[in-house]
Amino acid sequence: MGLSTGIRTLDDVLGGLQPGRFYLVAAAPGAGSSLIATAAARTSALDQHQPVLYAASGLTRADIAARIVAAHLPVDYRRLRAGRLTPPNRTTPQPSTTTWPKPRSISTTAPT
């Protein structure tokens, strides 16, 4: 079994994420493909401390970050993106006991 995506049914079908494979999640707008891809990337990066390359068409960095935050905290994604969190959602979360991996720098410019 490879790395878990965090989605049991998907793990059962794929056998988890396998090293050296490229996974493309595509669907009609609003069908949930970015939700599935974000969940798998988040699980691999944050829960399993594995490097992830996540490329999305149509989503901004802010959209992706908000989805990750909303998945880890008890906040509504739509309210978070709209800047309309309720007062209980605005409280500072307690420090996590999770050990985060050291970020890696990725260059997006072509060598000259």
Side-chain angles (χ1 to χ4, degrees):
M1 177 75 129
L3 289 175
S4 174
T5 63
I7 303 169
R8 185 178 179 151
T9 304
L10 188 59
D11 287 339
D12 290 344
V13 171
L14 296 176
L17 300 176
Q18 303 298 322
R21 291 207 175 157
F22 174 80
Y23 295 92
L24 176 67
V25 180
S33 59
S34 63
L35 181 64
I36 290 170
T38 303
R42 179 179 46 83
T43 298
S44 296
L46 299 181
D47 296 345
Q48 300 175 30
H49 307 288
Q50 297 297 312
V52 171
L53 171 63
Y54 181 87
S57 174
L59 293 177
T60 65
R61 287 181 182 185
D63 290 328
I64 296 166
R67 287 171 189 237
I68 292 170
V69 168
H72 268 66
L73 300 174
V75 297
D76 181 82
Y77 167 74
R78 290 181 191 99
R79 288 181 183 268
L80 177 63
R81 285 295 294 137
R84 295 189 325 243
L85 292 177
T86 59
N89 292 138
R90 291 185 198 150
T91 59
T92 305
Q94 296 300 311
S96 173
T97 58
T98 304
T99 303
W100 301 102
K102 182 179 177 186
R104 295 184 191 185
S105 176
I106 298 174
S107 174
T108 58
T109 58
T112 56

